[in-house]
Amino acid sequence: MSTWRKPLTKAEPVARRWCVHVLPERCKGCSFCIEFCPRKALESSSQLNSKGYRPPRLIEGATCVGCNFCAMICPDFAIYSGPEVGDGK
Amino acid sequence: MEMKETHPIDDLIRTDRIPHIWCSGCGIGIAVHCFLNAIRKSGIPPKNFAVVSGIGCSGRVAGYVKLDSFHTTHGRPIPFAVGLKLANDRLKVVVFSGDGDLIAIGGNHFIHAARRNVDITVICVNNFNYGMTGGQAAPTTPVRARTSTTPYGNFEFPFNLAYLAAGSGAVYVSRWTTLHAKQLEDSMLEALGKKGFTFVEAISPCPTLYNRMNKLGTALDFMKFCKEHSVIRHGADPKTANIDLRGDIVVGRFVNVERPTFTDFLEEGLAQGLPHRKALLDEERKEFEHE
């Protein structure tokens, strides 16, 4: 019997990648998500939606951790965080 | 950024009516989202829910949720809900309405439903005034606050809704601001799982009327205020749990007790006095479960 133990961290850990999904036409620009994002990862986008509000977008280079607080605090059901599309997990 | 046209909550809202009419920054949407999340987490099938709303901004909730919902006359969602509950006690009946509807015009219904301990959940969105009709003073308007009917300041003391509910006999009373979305959701989940008259108050900004007339800033400013001035005090005496929009807002779960409900007494009385009616009722229930 081999006493050689298998290393617990054999596989390289893969960090799950998250991003925010925005439904721009529902946004009313209250900016709760931008203010209360724990990672301060959101900003107003430069484009207006059809009602004239600026929906949020992920700041380039900022990390979304998928806490989904933006979805909870959004009064208009316009934003949520989820796994990045193409993230196979 | 990925553009998607659906939201995870979309299966519980009537998406053809979205975007809703509530102002930018209004907290009712947050309360609805918390409620729908609580429904999902409760594990009870959505078809067993009935949502009853009255008149006002919060009264429109019934039109936006994809559940059995009823939009009733002003101040009367609680009698309607009691009727629903008595007709079919397997339903989870939720009253979702505003402070003007539940406490002002429907004030008597509210205290008597709490006194009887009818098995319903009441969610009250408190924005301190009558929002839909133009910002008139309500029984929840703080003293000295300006509204469109009190231009020199309100001369009346407001109701403390948590104290009113607890004093009338509610078995579960909690208050959260709409910033406390997670806590509000957990509180609603707890209230839905509890038997008896359960009451959840959600303090919401009214950026268009109340906040503007009282120079409280935008909805975002109000939310920041809630973040800085909310004091969580679980189990606090509701009498001392005040809402001071220039000072502190006391939030938390104030009451969580057990008391026999109206349905319990009804069944007891039926079994003793009208056993054949009780047998009929039990049969009906079985049918409902089979469906």
Side-chain angles (χ1 to χ4, degrees), chain B residues 38-87:
Chain B
I39 284 186
R40 192 168 283 172
K41 281 190 185 168
S42 70
I44 304 166
K47 75 173 174 78
N48 287 8
F49 278 93
V51 178
V52 189
S53 292
I55 299 296
C57 296
S58 316
R60 296 191 65 94
V61 170
Y64 293 127
V65 294
K66 207 193 259 177
L67 303 163
D68 284 346
S69 54
F70 303 92
H71 195 194
T72 64
T73 45
H74 205 351
R76 316 290 174 241
I78 289 179
F80 197 97
V82 172
L84 275 176
K85 188 70 195 175
L86 291 183

Side-chain angles (χ1 to χ4, degrees), chain A residues 1-81:
Chain A
M1 197 182 85
S2 168
T3 52
W4 189 255
R5 289 182 298 173
K6 272 190 188 168
L8 290 169
T9 53
K10 198 178 173 190
E12 194 68 22
V14 186
R16 199 166 188 179
R17 298 176 68 84
W18 300 87
C19 72
V20 289
H21 305 272
V22 181
L23 287 75
E25 285 309 311
R26 287 189 189 178
C27 179
K28 288 186 194 152
C30 65
S31 66
F32 288 173
C33 51
I34 297 169
E35 175 68 29
F36 296 112
C37 174
R39 302 285 298 193
K40 295 273 173 264
L42 295 166
E43 62 176 358
S44 287
S45 68
S46 50
Q47 280 172 349
L48 299 171
N49 66 8
S50 64
K51 289 195 288 277
Y53 295 112
R54 293 181 192 278
R57 69 172 173 208
L58 202 59
I59 298 172
E60 222 151 289
T63 329
C64 172
V65 292
C67 70
N68 217 23
F69 192 66
C70 50
M72 283 184 208
I73 208 81
C74 179
D76 295 276
F77 320 109
I79 186 171
Y80 64 98
S81 60

Side-chain angles (χ1 to χ4, degrees), chain B residues 10-229:
Chain B
D10 272 2
D11 55 331
L12 288 175
I13 54 177
R14 296 179 204 252
T15 44
D16 51 325
R17 292 184 161 206
I18 300 289
H20 50 61
I21 62 147
W22 298 315
C23 309
S24 163
C26 177
I28 302 171
I30 304 174
V32 174
H33 196 185
C34 292
F35 171 58
L36 296 177
N37 274 335
I39 284 186
R40 192 168 283 172
K41 281 190 185 168
S42 70
I44 304 166
K47 75 173 174 78
N48 287 8
F49 278 93
V51 178
V52 189
S53 292
I55 299 296
C57 296
S58 316
R60 296 191 65 94
V61 170
Y64 293 127
V65 294
K66 207 193 259 177
L67 303 163
D68 284 346
S69 54
F70 303 92
H71 195 194
T72 64
T73 45
H74 205 351
R76 316 290 174 241
I78 289 179
F80 197 97
V82 172
L84 275 176
K85 188 70 195 175
L86 291 183
N88 184 352
D89 70 345
R90 294 282 140 163
L91 280 178
K92 225 44 200 135
V93 183
V94 182
V95 173
F96 202 125
S97 206
D99 55 305
D101 188 63
L102 286 173
I103 310 301
I105 293 101
N108 247 305
H109 300 303
F110 178 80
I111 56 173
H112 286 288
R115 173 180 66 84
R116 291 173 184 143
N117 202 17
V118 187
D119 193 6
I120 57 175
T121 298
V122 176
I123 298 166
C124 176
V125 180
N126 183 0
N127 59 4
F128 309 108
N129 71 142
Y130 288 94
M132 184 168 273
T133 49
Q136 290 85 354
T140 43
T141 307
V143 71
R144 297 197 187 91
R146 279 188 67 217
T147 64
S148 55
T149 47
T150 57
Y152 309 110
N154 185 22
F155 309 145
E156 302 165 11
F157 282 104
F159 264 136
N160 177 346
L161 302 192
Y163 186 34
L164 180 70
S168 307
V171 292
Y172 182 94
V173 178
S174 73
R175 174 197 291 151
W176 295 101
T177 74
T178 43
L179 178 70
H180 298 87
K182 185 70 193 146
Q183 290 93 326
L184 188 60
E185 186 185 311
D186 292 347
S187 200
M188 287 177 185
L189 187 61
E190 241 178 333
L192 288 174
K194 203 167 159 66
K195 271 197 153 282
F197 189 90
T198 51
F199 179 67
V200 180
E201 179 186 0
I203 293 174
S204 157
C206 182
T208 313
L209 293 159
Y210 187 82
N211 290 16
R212 181 174 56 80
M213 282 193 245
N214 289 284
K215 300 196 165 47
L216 293 172
T218 60
L220 187 61
D221 291 327
F222 188 86
M223 292 295 249
K224 282 181 191 164
F225 171 83
C226 289
K227 191 178 177 184
E228 285 160 17
H229 292 269

